[in-house]
Amino acid sequence: MSSSSWPDWACLHHAYGSAEDVPGQLAALSSADPVVRGAAVSALTGNVYHQGTQWPASAHVVTPLVLLADTPTTPDRATVVHLLHAVALGDLRDDVLPFDPARAFADAERVGPSDEAAVLGVLFEDDNPDLDSVADVADAVAVRWAADAYRAAERHAPSFLTWLRDPEPAVATRAAALLAWFPEVPGLAAALAGVGFDTGPARASANLALAFLPGPPSSGELAALTAGLASTDEAVRVTAAVAVARRQTTALPDEALTVLVHADDDEVAGVLPGWDRSLRGHVALALRRLAL
């Protein structure tokens, strides 16, 4: 995305006012200097993902971040994907998966341009802001900004699928975690099932994403998860068992139950990048789903 095709950032708002500083921060993510990149990540996080909230500029940051992640020469692309995840999903945590965007963003439908303008005026333009004057629409406007960011990311979900095959395991791991929020992407289940077992955390993250897809697993998904149950990698083995338990509760293989029970007894530790709940938490959720 060339700078000539960017929006008029000065007319957009982030958490601190005009978003005219955003292009420079996005450009700095390509810097060879890790200190410069770190400062840019910090600034963007505060501006368009401020304490878990999104703003009008947030949706417009999505495409530049996707293009940066799509560019092999971008340094530390896993951090770019991590930032994209934050901007697209805000303070949503994986304990609300499987995700229903229509339900989550229902309040956005009652927001009009005048409501958004009123809230922005109170926040950034009025000399004597009257917060009470926008109290009845402020929350819905915030939902609208969150919905816009989510929908912007949804349009790029086919790119996320390509990241599952990325040579950098950290990128593939975060891509799988991000895709769990976009279950309608064509070819998603097959792409997740096809993540290689030599990638460790990426395969485990793909297993968790498969766990939250609807319906019973296809033969290809089940084959991948069954193979995962025999993995020497604990995270792969445990997440495969979690996925089978969530997707095939009425015909749970003995191997999957054994893995879950042992993981529960041994208090398996760790959190996969891109996921909020610990492996231990996913195990507990799977056992609860099985009424165990």
Side-chain angles (χ1 to χ4, degrees), residues 118-119 121-124 126 128-138:
V119 170
V122 167
L123 290 175
F124 300 112
D126 294 351
N128 297 299
D130 180 7
L131 297 178
D132 290 338
S133 67
V134 296
D136 59 334
V137 296

Side-chain angles (χ1 to χ4, degrees), residues 37 63 71 126 131 147 153 155 159 170 189 192 249 265-266 277 287:
R37 295 198 306 272
T63 295
T71 303
D126 294 351
L131 297 178
R155 291 191 288 272
S159 281
L192 290 169
T249 55
D265 289 343
D266 296 341
R277 193 190 302 269
L287 289 173

Side-chain angles (χ1 to χ4, degrees), residues 48-55 58 82-94 105 145-147 149-150 178 181 276:
V48 297
Y49 169 62
H50 183 69
Q51 298 178 0
T53 61
Q54 292 112 315
W55 297 79
S58 301
H82 175 53
L83 181 57
L84 171 64
H85 188 131
V87 172
L89 299 173
D91 63 358
L92 291 172
R93 294 178 57 83
D94 59 41
F105 303 132
W145 294 336
Y150 176 86
L178 181 58
W181 296 90
D276 303 301

